[in-house]
Amino acid sequence: MQGENLTVWSFFFLEGFSRYPTLEIVLFVFSLVMFLITLLGNSTLILITVLDARLQSPMYLFLGNLSFMDICYTSASIPTLLVNVLSSQKTIMFSGCAVQMYLSLAMGSTECVLLAVMAYDRYLAICNPLRYPVLMNRQVCVQMAAASWVTGCLTALLETSFALQVPLCGNLIDHFTCEILAVLKLACAESLLVDMVMLVVSVLLLPIPMLLICISYVFILSTILRISSAKGRSKAFSTCGAHLTVVILYYGAALSMYLKPSSSSSQEVDKVISLLYGVLTPMLNPIIYSLRNKEVKAAMRKVLGQIPLYRTHESL
C-alpha cells in the first residue's frame, strides 16, 4: 500500500459523462455553441470598451477584466471537454491537468473578488455621485483590478500547490475537467492541512465577498428608491440588475459546489454545477451586460457602423 501511495501518475483519465453516451453528444453541441458565443461576446465587449471613448469609465474597465477572465477560464477547460467527448481515451497529461486546475481556480477566484469590486464601484457611483470621480479615479481602478488578479492568482497557486502534493491512489477523475475537488477525491487518505486550506480560501473568496456585495446593494437600493426621476431609477435598476444577475448565478453555483458537505450530492450533480458556473455564466455575462446597457449597445452600433460590410448591409 505504501508503494501505491507514492505512485506518481503521468496522466489522468477524465470520465466526464461517458456513462451517458447520448448525453455526451448533446453536451458536445451545447458546449461548443456556448464556447463560441463566450469567445465572440466577451471579445466584442473588450473591443468596444477599448475603441469607444465613452466606455472608459471604471465600470467598463472592470467589465473588460471580467470578459478577459471569462475567455481565459473557458479556454482552459472547454477545449479539453470537447476533445474528450469525441475521444475514446479521454486522457490528460499530469502537467496539463495541473495547469488546467490552476487556471480554473485563478480565474474563478479572481472573478469572486472582481464582482465585489464592481459592486463597490456601483455603490460609489449611485450613493456618492459627486465624490465618485475622485474616489474612483483611473489609478484606483487599476489598483483594485490588479488586487483582484493578484488575490485570485495567489490563492489558486496555494490551493494547487497543496493539492498536487497529496498522494493519489488512482488516475481516473470522475469529472470532465481537472476540477480540484474531483482530483482530491482520488487521495489515498484525508489531508487535514489541504482541507483547511480549501475551507479558508473558500470562505474568504465566496461568502465574504458576497456579504460585501449584499451590503453594497442594500445601500444602493435605498438610494435608488429616493431618486425622484423615474428615468434615473430605471437606469440605476438596469445597471445594478445586470450585475446582480451575474452575482446570483455565479455565487449561487460556486457556494453550492465548494461550501457543502462532501456527501450532500452526487458527483453527477457536481458536474452539472460546474457546467453552470464554468460554461453558462461566462456565456451569459456579455449578453446580460450588453442587452441591459444602452451605452454598450450604442457603442456596439458605432463600432459596427465603421465596418464597410455592415454599412453596406444597413444601406440595403
Side-chain angles (χ1 to χ4, degrees), residues 159 162-163 166 180 184 191-199:
E159 290 177 295
F162 277 97
V166 175
I180 188 169
L184 289 176
S191 173
L192 181 59
L193 179 59
V194 175
D195 291 342
M196 287 299 299
V197 169
M198 292 291 298
L199 178 61

Side-chain angles (χ1 to χ4, degrees), residues 17-18 47 54 71 120 166 221 245 254 262 270 279 290 299:
F17 293 92
S18 57
L47 180 64
R54 295 173 297 179
I71 291 174
Y120 177 68
V166 175
L221 182 60
T245 303
S262 58
D270 289 346
V279 182
S290 60

